[in-house]
Amino acid sequence: MALAGRARHGMTWSFASSRLLSSLSGLDFATVDPVSLQASDSKIFNLVGGEWRGSERRAVIVDPLNGRDMISVPDAQAHEIQPFVESLSQCPKSGLHNPLKNPSRYLLYGSVSAAAAHALKKPEVSEFFARLIQRVSPKSLFQARAEVSVTQKFLENFSGDQVRFLARSFAVPGDHTGQTSSGHRWPYGPVAIISPFNFPLEIPMLQLMGALYMGNKPLLKVDSKVAVVMEQALRLLHACGMPHADVDYINCDGPVMHQLLLQSQPAVTQFTGSARIAEILAKDLRGKVKLEDAGFDWKILGPDVKELDYVAWVCDQDAYACSGQKCSAQSILFMHKNWVQAGILDRVRSLAARRNLQDLTIGPVLTVTTEAFLSHVNDLLSIPGARLEFGGKELQGGQHSIPKCYGAVEPTAVFVPLKAMLESRKNFEIATKEVFGPIQVVTEYDDSEIDLVLEANERMTAHLTAAVVSNDPIFLQHVLANTVNGTTYVGLRARTTGAPQNHWFGPANDPRGAGIGTPEAIRLVWSCHREIISDYGPVPPGWTLPAST
């Protein structure tokens, strides 16, 4: 049944009483108030065929900080997916536009991007999204605002003619008069995007717009815990001129989404999330996937110790900002003994101790319970020689209101000896298991053991981000020549997190790997190569029928 339509008539929203939002200017698209979210009047909807719709069942999302009912979201069931299947089927393989069809739509999306970028630059709009992000995926206000800023700059980057520049073609002279070959970037047509909870605006928005720029018709699924953010963003895009029928948006559970993908068979499904689900999708969708799966990300501190306080601060940010819930979070720290002797761990320990629930510099862990987190800490401590450096406890000694379905843990570091880590397959699997929360493994090496560090990196199966903190060019050359991570930062200021919109972010060493944010990433993920060979003649004078060959 169609609900909510495109307006808010008959609904009561509480902007007037909000201390956060002092003006309605620029917020006409919004249908929720991030300050006073409650499930009774904070409802979001699915979008299919240009219409906002509800579903027979609804799920209630609880506040990660106190467990109270916060948002009502659709919970579409298997018998309700047919409209989404039909909507995708209406998009031809040649897309909604391509270099030879409806090229004005490249200009349309340049204009939509410009308008959306302008809107997100307005303080009331940017603050609306930052506060909404905070409510559903608790992180510090700085981190939430940074997510909005990256999204705004991305949209700004692809304003005006930049969208059609993504589809730039090339031509090569042929063998004879009248013949040329031209290479084009061609859309896939019907596609799907599945996005995680940790960056509820940035990740889905950047992938969605990339798909639209290249001429595809996307079906978008965002983790229902944070789906309100992208639902509001879609309403903003509609207000900025995006045709309502260009994007379908569904809220449902994983098995229903899986069934929808199997029935609709999108030409490509872009998935950001856990490696386990990524492999299931790759198998069941016959390889028609682009993956930015979970990352177990490493940082190496080289032999040259400089700017100890700065490097320690970056280590703390990389491991514990957003409560460690970044696919680029620093998962393991290889410390040259010079850094250990200089006191790097003491510095990081003191910085981690500053984090608190009040300002959300540490907060709920949305995919790992406290029990599961502490169990993993114990597994790490079972490795011979391992020791707890700090953390390893429930947050605030359990004196908090975070619901049991989520995790609430202190920033944690566990030291695991390098040789013990490499000694057995079991030890290595424990030490390199990704736990999406505020935990890192730390270890030490000396000049004679750098190849053991590289061996550890070689054994890892995830190759997303990495950092080599050193200004020693010979050391950097050796490490870079023998590693593969897709987004690698090097130099004294190297980090693993905080990727902006101005460089590639994505894994390497996997032909299914998906990038995000740059023209190269958009072309790779959301278009394929099509070669058109023109051969107009004329036929050579005096041509005669040759013998068969």
Side-chain angles (χ1 to χ4, degrees):
M1 57 182 172
L3 293 175
R6 295 172 185 170
R8 296 178 290 127
H9 303 301
M11 298 184 180
T12 302
W13 311 105
S14 54
F15 283 119
S17 62
S18 171
R19 295 182 181 179
L20 165 65
L21 302 170
S22 59
S23 170
L24 284 175
S25 175
L27 289 167
D28 291 343
F29 68 90
T31 60
V32 300
D33 178 352
V35 172
S36 59
L37 288 177
Q38 49 186 348
S40 59
D41 61 6
S42 297
K43 296 182 179 181
I44 67 170
F45 298 88
N46 291 333
L47 177 66
V48 61
E51 290 186 347
W52 292 106
R53 299 187 180 188
S55 60
E56 290 182 7
R57 297 185 188 176
R58 281 190 163 269
V60 174
I61 305 302
V62 300
D63 191 322
L65 291 173
N66 56 36
R68 295 171 186 161
D69 291 353
M70 185 169 63
I71 306 167
S72 171
V73 304
D75 185 18
Q77 303 298 298
H79 67 274
E80 296 178 283
I81 65 175
Q82 193 57 35
F84 295 91
V85 175
E86 293 174 358
S87 180
L88 276 186
S89 72
Q90 291 170 9
C91 177
K93 294 177 181 178
S94 55
L96 299 177
H97 62 265
N98 62 50
L100 302 181
K101 181 175 75 174
N102 299 329
S104 61
R105 282 176 52 90
Y106 293 114
L107 305 183
L108 167 67
Y109 273 99
S111 297
V112 170
S113 291
H118 178 71
L120 282 176
K121 212 162 190 177
K122 295 179 179 179
E124 66 270 22
V125 179
S126 63
E127 197 71 356
F128 169 85
F129 280 106
R131 297 291 184 169
L132 192 57
I133 289 167
Q134 268 199 310
R135 291 301 306 274
V136 295
S137 182
K139 58 184 75 174
S140 71
L141 188 56
F142 177 90
Q143 292 285 331
R145 286 172 173 164
E147 181 175 345
V148 178
S149 176
V150 167
T151 305
Q152 188 275 331
K153 290 176 182 175
F154 168 85
L155 292 166
E156 208 166 50
N157 286 348
F158 292 99
S159 299
D161 287 324
Q162 297 305 315
V163 174
R164 65 170 154 195
F165 289 164
L166 287 170
R168 189 189 302 271
S169 304
F170 66 85
V172 176
D175 293 333
H176 49 256
T177 301
Q179 185 188 70
T180 57
S181 60
S182 302
H184 301 273
R185 298 311 301 179
W186 220 254
Y188 289 105
V191 300
I193 302 167
I194 303 174
S195 292
F197 74 91
N198 55 332
F199 286 89
L201 178 66
E202 180 182 338
I203 292 176
M205 180 70 93
L206 269 59
Q207 293 292 11
L208 176 71
M209 298 308 290
L212 290 165
Y213 293 156
M214 299 311 294
N216 302 289
K217 158 87 180 223
L219 166 65
L220 176 62
K221 165 78 171 77
V222 179
D223 188 318
S224 292
K225 291 190 292 291
V226 300
V228 63
V229 177
M230 203 58 208
E231 196 248 23
Q232 296 294 289
L234 286 171
R235 293 180 185 274
L236 172 62
L237 291 173
H238 290 163
C240 291
M242 183 180 81
H244 287 232
D246 277 10
V247 178
D248 294 333
Y249 186 58
I250 189 168
N251 288 276
C252 60
D253 65 19
V256 171
M257 185 63 189
H258 198 75
Q259 185 173 340
L260 174 51
L261 292 174
L262 293 178
Q263 285 191 29
S264 59
Q265 288 292 310
V268 65
T269 296
Q270 192 281 316
F271 174 79
T272 304
S274 77
R276 183 181 68 85
I277 300 299
E279 293 302 330
I280 293 172
L281 290 174
K283 178 181 178 182
D284 290 354
L285 298 178
R286 296 175 293 135
K288 296 190 292 184
V289 294
K290 290 291 185 179
L291 307 176
E292 199 257 274
D293 57 0
F296 187 87
D297 307 295
W298 51 262
K299 179 184 286 182
I300 298 173
L301 304 183
D304 45 326
V305 178
K306 299 174 183 177
E307 302 291 348
L308 180 63
D309 287 335
Y310 178 84
V311 172
W313 172 72
V314 175
C315 286
D316 170 72
Q317 286 292 110
D318 281 347
Y320 305 125
C322 297
S323 301
Q325 297 171 106
K326 296 184 179 184
C327 54
S328 56
Q330 177 180 303
S331 308
I332 186 166
L333 179 64
F334 297 95
M335 307 172 292
H336 191 279
K337 68 175 185 178
N338 295 347
W339 286 93
V340 177
Q341 292 168 0
I344 185 71
L345 281 178
D346 289 337
R347 296 292 208 288
V348 175
R349 181 185 294 108
S350 64
L351 291 168
R354 301 188 307 172
R355 296 184 173 274
N356 63 84
L357 189 56
Q358 285 64 46
D359 62 9
L360 295 178
T361 49
I362 193 71
V365 179
L366 300 192
T367 57
V368 184
T369 64
T370 302
E371 182 181 7
F373 184 96
L374 298 180
S375 176
H376 177 62
V377 171
N378 289 332
D379 288 343
L380 288 170
L381 293 174
S382 72
I383 298 173
R387 64 179 182 269
L388 183 66
E389 290 291 345
F390 54 84
K393 301 175 184 176
E394 186 170 358
L395 194 60
Q396 297 182 175
Q399 300 302 306
H400 58 77
S401 57
I402 295 170
K404 294 291 185 181
C405 59
Y406 299 135
V409 288
E410 295 180 357
T412 298
V414 178
F415 181 90
V416 178
L418 180 57
K419 290 182 179 178
M421 183 191 312
L422 296 170
E423 190 173 42
S424 71
R425 180 176 179 178
K426 179 182 177 181
N427 287 355
F428 191 77
E429 287 179 349
I430 293 172
T432 58
K433 178 182 178 181
E434 185 190 30
V435 175
F436 218 51
I439 186 170
Q440 62 175 323
V441 170
V442 298
T443 193
E444 181 179 351
Y445 73 99
D446 60 28
D447 290 339
S448 68
E449 295 174 313
I450 184 59
D451 287 339
L452 293 180
V453 173
L454 296 175
E455 179 187 340
N457 294 341
E458 182 72 15
R459 287 193 198 179
M460 295 176 195
T461 56
H463 306 295
L464 183 54
T465 68
V468 190
V469 181
S470 175
N471 281 351
D472 181 339
I474 302 302
F475 181 81
L476 291 174
Q477 170 68 22
H478 183 57
V479 173
L480 292 175
N482 291 282
T483 53
V484 299
N485 292 49
T487 305
T488 303
Y489 300 89
V490 301
L492 181 65
R493 300 184 64 177
R495 63 189 194 274
T496 64
T497 65
Q501 73 296 327
N502 64 315
H503 68 64
W504 164 279
F505 182 84
N509 201 240
D510 187 339
R512 307 165 302 176
I516 190 171
T518 63
E520 293 79 14
I522 293 170
R523 292 188 192 103
L524 173 74
V525 175
W526 296 117
S527 68
C528 57
H529 182 86
R530 185 186 190 189
E531 195 83 4
I532 297 177
I533 299 88
S534 301
D535 205 345
Y536 298 115
V539 175
W543 181 87
T544 59
L545 184 67
S548 298
T549 60

